[in-house]
Amino acid sequence: MRIRTNLFLLFVALLFASCGAVHNRFLRADVVGFGSTVNTNFESVPYDLTQPAEASLMHEFITDSIPQGGHSAVFYAMEQAAERIQYVRKNLSDGDPATRYYIFLLTDGFDNASAQAAKNDGRTRRLLTYDKYSNRVHQALSKAMGAFDRNTFEVYPLILKGDELSEMQRRNNMSDDEFLAYLNTQLACLRFSSKGKEKAPSVICYDNLTDIYESVFRKVIHSSYRFRVPTAYIKKRVKMNFQNRRGQQVSVSGVLKKRSGGYVLDKVQLDSMTVSTKSRYINRRATCLKAMPNEDPNELSVGFLLEDIRDVEGLPFIPDPNRVDQEVLMSGNMWYMNPDFADNNELDVNTYFVFVLDGDLDPTLLHHLLDDLILHRR
């Protein structure tokens, strides 16, 4: 289905763009494809999306190996995704507590083939009912989430409401809000967040791609930026300048102070954009930005993590990694560039994705998309 393909293309483009500022960190992905059966690309190491050759391999897998067909083994595919994310967390993590792990389910309908698909693959002997299998998936995801401590782990169900679901809504005389509430109840077993049950992402469901694009872009996509400040700059104002590929710029500055055995950037000031960090907006009334945990106060520089930079409309601001610099206000009104900043900053945190994709993707459109993404990552 062409419309389903467009949804996938838009979503993957967002994810690549949101993580474009990767510097000496990993951005990896796995793919689970499903129709009436389920196929995976699982190797010992997931695709490294910073490498054009591996991005091409992911493209080839999606083009050649995503099962086609009229049935959907959603729960079985999600169970395998849950098992894979546990494996990656246990065996491939670099120990970074800020690493993000995401499962994204993209589908346009309900499950009607998980039990049969699992039986065909010899994964289970007793799958008696839909409810029991959904409970089995819930347990698998719960186990996966239990492996995470301070890491982000979230599961996002994205539903494109096609003719079948629209007819179901009409037949039951549901408003859009009532229908979304119904979907959230039906798919409750797939909604997870390491931030707690009350923070579990809601189902994102629209009948057009524009609204899905806007919703995902505003609610899901964000970037984090680690930067280090020399401790020699104590009591001086330090400014981080970010610029995206469209030439838009945001600057965040603060006075480096030592406090309670550690450091903060105090009296934070912003230019032109809105910035948030750790889900708490830093505005012109905010006072400080805290250093990364477990920082050694005796180090020659101290690290800070700035999360979720957004523009004045609330959309993610994605810096170009080659257009980030650091300045210090040494005296009077004269700003001086830190010449060593480019050698020790780290943009974005480690991120791992599992894409769980419904079948019927258009390989031609996907091919062009991945070619474009690879070119932009060189």
Side-chain angles (χ1 to χ4, degrees), residues 180-197:
L180 185 59
Y182 170 75
L183 289 179
N184 276 294
T185 299
Q186 290 293 305
L187 300 177
C189 64
L190 303 182
R191 297 165 49 227
F192 275 86
S193 173
S194 57
K195 301 172 185 176
K197 187 176 296 184

Side-chain angles (χ1 to χ4, degrees), residues 23-235:
H23 182 71
N24 294 328
R25 309 201 66 79
F26 74 66
L27 173 62
R28 297 180 182 141
D30 277 311
V31 179
V32 180
F34 67 91
S36 301
T37 59
V38 176
N39 287 344
T40 67
N41 72 307
F42 299 160
E43 302 290 342
S44 58
V45 178
Y47 294 123
D48 181 352
L49 300 185
T50 66
Q51 302 299 316
E54 294 202 25
S56 294
L57 289 175
M58 189 178 84
H59 155 68
E60 291 175 8
F61 175 83
I62 294 171
T63 301
D64 300 334
S65 305
I66 298 296
Q68 308 289 306
H71 299 288
S72 296
V74 177
F75 286 159
Y76 179 40
M78 287 294 290
E79 182 185 32
Q80 296 205 41
E83 292 175 0
R84 176 59 173 176
I85 209 166
Q86 290 180 73
Y87 172 83
V88 169
R89 173 69 177 90
K90 180 179 180 180
N91 296 288
L92 301 177
S93 172
D94 67 346
D96 178 7
T99 298
R100 295 191 176 112
Y101 301 81
Y102 295 108
I103 297 177
F104 291 104
L105 166 66
L106 291 87
T107 184
D108 66 350
F110 292 112
D111 186 284
N112 58 9
S114 278
Q116 188 59 48
K119 288 178 181 178
N120 291 343
D121 291 350
R123 296 269 300 194
T124 181
R125 296 176 181 175
R126 292 181 298 172
L127 292 174
L128 301 180
T129 66
Y130 176 95
D131 289 338
K132 285 189 177 181
Y133 200 78
S134 65
N135 184 59
R136 175 190 172 103
V137 178
H138 183 83
Q139 291 174 353
L141 288 168
S142 297
K143 184 178 180 181
M145 189 175 72
F148 294 83
D149 183 11
R150 288 184 298 162
N151 303 75
T152 293
F153 170 45
E154 293 179 320
V155 182
Y156 286 90
L158 305 178
I159 312 295
L160 181 64
K161 187 171 67 175
D163 294 340
E164 184 177 353
L165 293 185
S166 295
E167 174 59 23
M168 178 186 294
Q169 178 181 352
R170 186 199 63 77
R171 190 169 59 248
N172 290 279
N173 196 28
M174 295 180 180
S175 67
D176 287 343
D177 288 342
E178 290 171 335
F179 189 66
L180 185 59
Y182 170 75
L183 289 179
N184 276 294
T185 299
Q186 290 293 305
L187 300 177
C189 64
L190 303 182
R191 297 165 49 227
F192 275 86
S193 173
S194 57
K195 301 172 185 176
K197 187 176 296 184
E198 69 281 357
K199 298 290 187 180
S202 295
V203 172
I204 295 175
C205 176
Y206 292 99
D207 59 4
N208 67 85
L209 299 178
T210 301
D211 287 342
I212 290 175
Y213 176 96
E214 286 289 322
S215 182
V216 172
F217 204 49
R218 288 180 183 275
K219 296 180 181 179
V220 179
I221 304 304
H222 50 87
S223 296
S224 296
Y225 305 92
R226 302 167 185 264
F227 59 91
R228 302 195 70 82
V229 176
T231 54
Y233 290 170
I234 192 76
K235 296 183 180 180

Side-chain angles (χ1 to χ4, degrees), residues 257-373:
K257 292 185 177 180
K258 197 166 186 178
R259 186 178 297 176
S260 302
Y263 291 88
V264 297
L265 284 178
D266 197 13
K267 300 180 180 179
V268 174
Q269 295 180 359
L270 312 175
D271 281 335
S272 75
M273 299 284 183
T274 299
V275 177
S276 66
T277 180
K278 296 183 179 178
S279 302
R280 180 177 63 84
Y281 275 100
I282 293 181
N283 53 38
R284 297 184 189 281
R285 297 185 298 276
T287 57
C288 68
L289 179 63
K290 294 183 179 180
M292 290 289 293
N294 305 320
E295 284 285 344
D296 185 347
N298 297 315
E299 287 285 342
L300 297 179
S301 64
V302 59
F304 292 87
L305 176 64
L306 182 64
E307 288 194 297
D308 205 9
I309 303 179
R310 295 180 180 267
D311 66 19
V312 292
E313 296 180 349
L315 292 173
F317 180 88
I318 312 300
D320 181 338
N322 299 313
R323 298 182 182 180
V324 180
D325 58 58
Q326 183 181 93
E327 297 179 277
V328 59
L329 189 62
M330 299 297 290
S331 61
N333 294 319
M334 296 295 294
W335 288 92
Y336 293 89
M337 198 73 68
N338 175 7
D340 299 321
F341 174 74
D343 296 329
N344 59 27
N345 70 322
E346 294 179 332
L347 302 179
D348 219 334
V349 296
N350 295 338
T351 306
Y352 168 69
F353 303 110
V354 182
F355 296 109
V356 184
L357 307 177
D358 215 331
D360 298 323
L361 299 175
D362 184 328
T364 303
L365 291 177
L366 188 58
H367 174 77
H368 291 314
L369 170 72
L370 291 179
D371 279 352
D372 183 62
L373 294 172

